[in-house]
Amino acid sequence: MSDATTSFPADETLSAEQARELGHELGLRGDEYDRIVDTLGRVPTKSELGMYSVMWSEHCSYKSSKVHLRTLPTDGPQVLVGPGENAGVVDVGDGLAVTFKIESHNHPSYVEPYQGAATGVGGILRDIFTMGARPIAIMDPLRFGNPVTKDGRPDAHQRHIIDGVVRGVGGYGNCVGVPNIGGETVFDDCYAGNPLVNVLAVGVMPKDRLQLAVAEAPGDVAVLLGSGTGRDGIGGASVLASQEFDEGLEDKRPNVQVGDPFAEKLLIECCLELYDRDLLSGIQDMGAAGIACSTAEMASKASMGMQVDLSKVHLREPSMESWEILCSESQERMLALVSPDNLDDVLAIAEKWGVPASVIGEVVEGSALLLSRNGETVAQIPARSLADEGPTYERPMARPAWLADYVAADAESLTIPGDDLESFALGFLASPNVASKAWVHEQYDSLVLSGTVLGPGMADAGVVRLPGSRKAVAVATDGNGRWCELDPREGTKRVVAEAFRNVACVGARPLATTNCLNFGNPERPEIMWQFAESVAGLGEACDALGVPVTGGNVSLYNETRPAPDADPQAIFPTPVVGILGVLEDAEHAVDIGFEDEGDVIFLLGAPTGPGLAGSELQRHLGGPLGGRLAPVDLDVEAALAVVLIEAARQGLLHSAHDVSSGGMLANLVESCLAGDIGVTFHEGDGIPPAQALFSESPGRVVVTVPSTSVPTFARLCADAGLLMRDAGTVGGDRLVIGDLLDLDLEDVREAYTSGLPRALGEDDGPAI
C-alpha cells in the first residue's frame, strides 16, 4: 500500500533504523518488519508499529497454531456460528440459541493474580454478550503449583497465587451476577511458575437475535461504549501471552488490565437493550489489542475501511500517546456500529444505563484503516493486513526424546506401600488433587439468577436452566496435563472423551466443543510437536463423537525462566476441553449422590483396565511420571452416552458418576459423601488392589438404579451393546470395597473435606 504522500506528525515519524529497532523491541521479527514495510510502501509510524506488534502477536494472530487448527471439525446441523467470531453458537431448539467459549488469562494471573483472574472472567463474559446473548453461567478450570513444599509446609508463594486467582474469579463473577457452576482445580509442580487460569462462559438468546462483528454499511458510525481508555492493559493479553516469563515480573505488572464488574454489569444491560431494539449494525468486544483489533477485524470481515478519530475516545488519562490509545486493553469496552438514523437512540440508551459513549469514527468504502488525532493522520493501514494477513508459520516439529523414558516406565505394576491400606486410602483422599475443592467453589455464587440446577461438586457437569423453557444446558470442562505429557494425542482424546462422558452423565445430549490449548514455547520443536499431536487427537475425538469445535483459545509460551541463565521450564501440554450439551427437561438432570438404601450399583462401559500411567496414585507415591496410556474406545463412549441420556429421560437413574482422576476410590467417596450414605462395592475379580482402587482407565461410569428399574435399565444396556456389571448396593454408614477397604464414612469425610484447607495452612494441623 503505497502512501508516500501522507504526512504524519513529528512524534509519529521514525527513521528506518529507529522503526526497525522499535519493531524488534515490540516483538516483531526482522522478516515481519520487512513485510510491514512492503505492505505500506514506506517506513511505519510509531502507532502503526504498535498496532502490528499486537495484531501479529501470537495471542492475536495464532501464527504458530492456525495451520493445525484448520484441521478441526467445525460443522454440524446444530452449529449456527463456528470459529472466527467472538464465541460459538449452537441451536438448542424452542427458538433458542446458546453461545459458549473458553479462554485463558494465564500470564496476567501470574503477574497480578487477582486482577489477572478477574479480567479473565470479564473478557469471556464480553465474548458471550457480544454475540447477543445474556450470560447465564461461568466455569473456571484452574491449575497451580503444588500448595505444599517438599518439607510438608504450605507454600506461601503458591498460596498467594491461589488465593488471588480464586478471589479474582469470585469477586468479578459474583459482582456481575453470573453463577459459577463448576470447573477444575489441579495442582502440579509444572504450573508453579505459570498457573493456568481458564474461564468458560455460557449465554442464551433468541435464535434470531444473533449479533456479528462485521462492518457492512458505509456511513455507519463507530460508537465506543463503556469504560474510559487508560494505560492499564497496554499490550496486556497480546504481549504477556506471547512471551515466556523471566525474573522481571514487576516490569510487566502495568500490562495487566484492571477490571470493574459493576461497569460490566451496566454494559451488559445496555447492550442487551440495544439488541432487543435492533439498533446496531455490528458490535465487537475490545479485548486483546483494544481499538486496533476491533476496528481492523470488523472492517476486514466486510472488506471495508474505517476512519477513526482518536481525539474522540474518552480517556482516563489525557496524556496518553496515540499508540497507547490504540493498543490499550482497558476493560469493559465495546465498539458498536450504528446507522446514523439510530445514533440518537443508541446514545440515549447508553446514558440511561450510565454507560459512557463516544462517536469515534465511521465505516467507509475501500479497505484502509485511517486513524487520526487532532486532525493529523497517525496511521493508515490496510485493515486486512492487520486482521487476516499476519504471518503464518509451519514451525519445525520433533518428537521429544524424553518420551522414551516415559514409555520405559512400568507404571501398571505400582503397588501400595505397607500393610495399612486404610490409612493409605485416607491419606490419598486428603491429597490436594483428590480432596474436596469446596474451599474454592464456596467462594463463588453458584445460585445467582436462580437457574442453577446442578452446581459445583454436585454432578459431573454443571447444569443451568434456559429462561422461559423446560430445557437446560450442561457443561463440563476437563484437562489432564499428565496424560498429555505422556502422549499428547491419546491424552487429548481421553480428555475429550471425559468431558463428553461427564455431560452425558447428567443426562444431557452433547452438542459441541470449545477448547483452550495451553502449551509452552512453540519455537521449540518438541513443544510444537506436542501441540500438533494434541490438536490431531482433539479433532479425531470430536469428529468420532459428533461434537464439532465451535471456537476456543490458544495459549502458548506458558513457561518460566527461573533465572537469567536457567533453561525455561514449560508446563505440561494442557488442552482444556469444554463440552456443552442440552437436556430437554431440566427435571431429568442426574447428580452424583448415592440416594436410597438398597439401590443397585452398576459399572457401565469398559472394564477396569490398566490405568496407572500418569495417575493420581503415581503422583501421590512420589515417583516419576511415566507409563503408557491405554487407548480410549470412542465407540464405548458413544454407547455410554446413548444409555445415560435415555436412562435419565426415563427416570431410571438415581446417580451417575464417571471414573476418572483418583480412580474408583475417589468416585465412590464423592458419591457417598454427596448422598450422605454408605456403599458396599465389589471391586472385580482378579484385579490387583492398586488397579481396582486407583486405575484411571477410560470409558467407565458408576450408576445407581432402584431395584424396580433394573430390568428396564438392563434392556437399554443390552440394546446399546454396553457392558453392565452388577457392582454392589447402596446403604449403611461405611465405605466397603470388597475385602480391600472398610472405612467409617465420617473418617472418609474428615480426610476428604479437610485435605485442601490443611494443605493451604487454613488450620493448625499439619499440611497433607
Side-chain angles (χ1 to χ4, degrees):
M1 177 182 180
S2 181
D3 201 39
T5 60
T6 301
S7 176
F8 298 100
D11 61 354
E12 286 287 340
T13 303
L14 301 167
S15 69
E17 183 178 349
Q18 289 172 325
R20 183 175 291 276
E21 182 178 351
L22 179 57
H24 175 73
E25 292 175 3
L26 292 173
L28 291 166
R29 291 178 15 168
D31 57 336
E32 292 174 348
Y33 174 80
D34 292 338
R35 282 187 56 186
I36 294 168
V37 172
D38 289 343
T39 298
L40 299 178
R42 55 175 169 78
V43 174
T45 67
K46 187 188 299 184
S47 290
E48 289 168 340
L49 271 180
M51 295 173 74
Y52 275 109
S53 73
V54 292
M55 290 299 292
W56 285 13
S57 68
E58 192 70 60
H59 182 80
C60 292
S61 74
Y62 287 57
K63 57 190 175 186
S64 298
S65 59
K66 57 181 139 186
V67 295
H68 302 284
L69 298 177
R70 289 170 183 153
T71 66
L72 294 173
T74 59
D75 296 325
Q78 71 274 40
V79 177
L80 299 177
V81 176
E85 282 287 341
N86 288 285
V89 182
V90 293
D91 187 347
V92 295
D94 290 353
L96 295 174
V98 169
T99 179
F100 77 124
K101 188 182 181 184
I102 188 170
E103 283 206 341
S104 63
H105 232 218
N106 303 336
H107 293 69
S109 297
Y110 186 54
V111 176
E112 213 302 302
Y114 183 93
Q115 289 296 348
T119 51
V121 175
I124 194 64
L125 288 175
R126 285 194 300 281
D127 282 340
I128 295 305
F129 72 80
T130 300
M131 300 304 298
R134 176 176 290 280
I136 58 172
I138 60 173
M139 302 181 82
D140 64 324
L142 308 175
R143 282 162 175 79
F144 305 106
N146 194 330
V148 180
T149 63
K150 294 188 184 301
D151 61 1
R153 299 176 182 276
D155 186 310
H157 180 59
Q158 288 304 312
R159 174 59 195 266
H160 163 72
I161 296 172
I162 295 164
D163 190 57
V165 166
V166 172
R167 286 190 303 107
V169 171
Y172 202 101
N174 296 351
C175 290
V176 83
V178 179
N180 188 316
I181 62 170
E184 300 174 281
T185 307
V186 176
F187 304 97
D188 194 283
D189 288 337
C190 77
Y191 306 113
N194 200 127
L196 301 185
V197 178
N198 295 177
V199 186
L200 179 146
V202 183
V204 63
M205 60 185 166
K207 184 178 172 181
D208 59 2
R209 199 177 72 182
L210 183 63
Q211 304 291 312
L212 298 176
V214 181
E216 293 185 312
D220 277 356
V221 293
V223 181
L224 177 58
L225 296 169
S227 297
T229 298
R231 286 192 171 93
D232 62 301
I234 293 177
S238 52
V239 172
L240 285 177
S242 300
Q243 59 185 346
E244 65 188 21
F245 281 140
D246 54 27
E247 71 282 2
L249 286 180
E250 289 300 321
D251 295 337
K252 296 179 172 67
R253 198 169 300 278
N255 293 120
V256 179
Q257 307 95 324
V258 177
D260 182 347
F262 300 105
E264 180 112 333
K265 175 62 175 173
L266 295 174
L267 187 59
I268 291 172
E269 300 304 330
C270 174
C271 288
L272 291 177
E273 182 170 346
L274 293 173
Y275 305 153
D276 284 338
R277 293 182 56 180
D278 197 22
L279 293 175
L280 304 183
S281 305
I283 190 165
Q284 172 74 304
D285 160 40
M286 282 193 189
I291 293 174
C293 179
S294 56
T295 54
E297 290 188 346
M298 294 180 85
S300 179
K301 284 179 183 177
S303 297
M304 300 293 293
M306 193 176 293
Q307 294 180 348
V308 176
D309 185 350
L310 299 181
S311 60
K312 301 291 182 64
V313 174
H314 49 281
L315 304 176
R316 294 205 305 273
E317 302 175 63
S319 63
M320 291 176 69
E321 295 185 47
S322 297
W323 72 269
E324 293 177 306
I325 299 171
L326 284 163
C327 300
S328 169
E329 296 175 10
S330 293
Q331 297 290 285
E332 292 85 42
R333 298 181 303 158
M334 310 283 276
L335 186 67
L337 299 180
V338 182
S339 166
D341 296 337
N342 294 331
L343 180 59
D344 289 343
D345 289 338
V346 169
L347 296 178
I349 290 171
E351 183 177 11
K352 166 189 168 182
W353 287 104
V355 172
S358 300
V359 178
I360 66 169
E362 67 174 324
V363 179
V364 297
E365 298 281 2
S367 61
L369 282 180
L370 183 62
L371 301 135
S372 63
R373 191 177 188 191
N374 299 321
E376 295 183 296
T377 300
V378 298
Q380 187 170 352
I381 302 175
R384 187 169 297 279
S385 76
L386 278 175
D388 297 308
E389 296 176 351
T392 299
Y393 298 130
E394 296 191 28
R395 294 197 185 274
M397 296 186 290
R399 179 183 173 87
W402 62 76
L403 292 183
D405 294 333
Y406 292 153
V407 171
D410 185 11
E412 306 309 331
S413 295
L414 287 173
T415 57
I416 300 165
D419 54 7
D420 189 349
L421 182 55
E422 294 184 355
S423 293
F424 181 86
L426 292 174
F428 179 80
L429 292 171
S431 61
N433 275 309
V434 180
S436 168
K437 305 306 184 296
W439 183 89
V440 175
H441 61 69
E442 285 178 355
Q443 298 186 51
Y444 305 150
D445 189 339
S446 63
L447 300 176
V448 64
L449 299 181
S450 303
T452 303
V453 178
L454 295 172
M458 298 173 65
D460 281 357
V463 180
V464 61
R465 297 177 188 272
L466 297 180
S469 170
R470 294 188 64 85
K471 293 177 183 284
V473 291
V475 192
T477 60
D478 284 288
N480 194 309
R482 290 171 66 84
W483 290 349
C484 294
E485 172 72 2
L486 292 177
D487 185 336
R489 184 183 295 239
E490 185 60 41
T492 303
K493 290 166 67 174
R494 275 192 177 200
V495 167
V496 174
E498 184 173 351
F500 180 89
R501 189 187 320 129
N502 284 333
V503 167
C505 278
V506 300
R509 176 170 54 91
L511 288 179
T513 303
T514 185
N515 61 87
C516 193
L517 306 178
N518 306 277
F519 288 79
N521 183 347
E523 297 167 47
R524 294 169 56 192
E526 296 85 357
I527 300 296
M528 201 64 233
W529 181 88
Q530 290 178 327
F531 181 86
E533 285 289 293
S534 180
V535 171
L538 175 67
E540 290 173 21
C542 289
D543 188 50
L545 295 173
V547 280
V549 175
T550 60
N553 175 241
V554 175
S555 175
L556 301 176
Y557 294 94
N558 286 291
E559 53 187 55
T560 302
R561 193 181 298 273
D565 57 348
D567 292 332
Q569 298 176 1
I571 64 164
F572 289 155
T574 311
V576 174
V577 173
I579 289 186
L580 179 139
V582 62
L583 281 138
E584 295 303 317
D585 191 331
E587 299 300 319
H588 295 159
V590 180
D591 63 23
I592 66 171
F594 291 154
E595 190 169 314
D596 290 338
E597 191 98 18
D599 279 353
V600 183
I601 300 175
F602 293 104
L603 178 61
L604 305 182
T608 299
L612 300 182
S615 66
E616 281 303 317
L617 177 65
Q618 189 179 59
R619 185 208 307 268
H620 188 65
L621 292 174
L625 177 67
R628 292 175 182 266
L629 293 184
V632 61
D633 188 330
L634 297 176
D635 290 335
V636 168
E637 300 289 352
L640 266 172
V642 169
V643 168
L644 291 167
I645 295 163
E646 182 59 22
R649 188 190 70 80
Q650 294 186 33
L652 303 178
L653 301 179
H654 277 174
S655 72
H657 191 13
D658 85 315
V659 184
S660 56
S661 181
M664 190 63 73
L665 176 62
N667 173 288
L668 296 174
V669 165
E670 289 164 0
S671 292
C672 285
L673 297 183
D676 196 23
I677 193 169
V679 66
T680 299
F681 187 82
H682 312 308
E683 84 285 1
D685 296 332
I687 302 175
Q691 296 285 1
L693 295 175
F694 304 111
S695 172
E696 297 175 5
S697 62
R700 296 177 294 154
V701 174
V702 173
V703 300
T704 55
V705 181
S707 58
T708 55
S709 299
V710 168
T712 304
F713 183 71
R715 283 194 297 272
L716 272 183
C717 292
D719 290 344
L722 189 69
L723 173 69
M724 176 184 113
R725 182 170 71 80
D726 185 342
T729 55
V730 174
D733 59 3
R734 302 189 71 79
L735 171 66
V736 180
I737 304 179
D739 58 2
L740 297 176
L741 287 177
D742 186 345
L743 298 172
D744 183 276
L745 215 53
E746 287 310 305
D747 292 338
V748 170
R749 188 186 307 277
E750 166 63 20
Y752 181 72
T753 58
S754 67
L756 183 55
R758 295 175 76 190
L760 294 172
E762 287 287 296
D763 63 13
D764 295 330
I768 300 299

